[in-house]
Amino acid sequence: MALEELRAAMPPYAKDLRLNLGSLTTHSQLTEQQLWGTLLACAVACRSAPLLREVEPEARKHLSDEAHGAARTAAALMAMTNVFYRTRHLLADPAYDALPAGLRMNALRDPGVPRVDFELWSLAVSAVGGCGRCLEAHERTLREAGMPREAIQEAFRAAAVLAATASTLDAETALHGPVD
């Protein structure tokens, strides 16, 4: 089981991460597809090979081929859009908002899964990417679709736990070599 392996790899100083990893899948109000799509998309977004190697095979067991691909698509598109829209925001020059983005995002038209699932994964990845405008846009879309705040928070809580896990795994690898 992916999360059990990650929990076991956490060093003593990361006990809270070990506990948080354990609760990600045990008390979820998200559907199985929403949960595992969130975990996969965030694992991709965290750019940590050890994290992705553990999460991806487990996610594949819980997701259809379409959902597996859509979660990875959300991670790929948000990697691009988070940088673009975060930069527009940080420049604080309204003239940039009037310019066309010029970015191809055809997959947004039909992601192959319910729109709410894709939006949830995009929100979680945007939390990892730290794009305030993207977070606001995805949260608004999810709320308009009727998703409760508690479910939305669950997605960005998962993003936070996986981001911290990735950071810890990468630090341990840098200090002690690959984590087994």
Side-chain angles (χ1 to χ4, degrees):
M1 182 179 277
L3 297 183
E4 288 303 316
E5 294 294 325
L6 290 171
R7 288 180 72 210
M10 289 295 100
Y13 67 83
K15 179 182 178 186
D16 289 326
L17 288 180
R18 190 169 41 253
L19 295 171
N20 287 323
L21 280 165
S23 69
L24 285 179
T25 58
T26 56
H27 300 99
S28 180
Q29 61 180 298
L30 301 176
T31 67
E32 184 175 40
Q33 177 167 293
Q34 289 170 341
L35 174 64
W36 283 98
T38 297
L39 296 175
L40 177 58
C42 289
V44 171
C46 288
R47 298 186 285 177
S48 169
L51 177 68
L52 187 56
R53 278 194 299 267
E54 291 299 326
V55 172
E56 192 279 334
E58 187 68 20
R60 194 173 280 286
K61 296 176 190 174
H62 297 274
L63 297 171
S64 67
D65 289 342
E66 294 80 13
H68 185 272
R72 292 170 56 198
T73 297
L77 286 178
M78 293 308 109
M80 175 179 65
T81 59
N82 285 181
V83 170
F84 184 83
Y85 289 106
R86 184 177 60 240
T87 301
R88 264 192 179 176
H89 172 74
L90 292 172
L91 289 174
D93 181 347
Y96 287 106
D97 290 335
L99 300 173
L103 300 172
R104 292 196 179 261
M105 296 180 270
N106 294 328
L108 295 178
R109 280 190 225 135
D110 181 16
V113 295
R115 173 69 53 197
V116 71
D117 293 2
F118 194 82
E119 286 290 335
L120 187 70
W121 303 336
S122 297
L123 175 126
V125 171
S126 295
V128 173
C131 179
R133 278 192 180 174
C134 298
L135 285 164
E136 289 172 359
H138 296 299
E139 192 268 349
R140 183 174 47 253
T141 301
L142 288 165
R143 295 288 298 136
E144 288 170 358
M147 182 165 275
R149 285 181 176 86
E150 294 80 6
I152 294 168
Q153 180 172 293
E154 189 173 333
F156 65 79
R157 182 172 62 85
V161 171
L162 289 186
T165 300
S167 178
T168 302
L169 289 172
D170 290 350
E172 289 300 301
T173 299
L175 293 172
H176 308 292
V179 179
D180 295 327

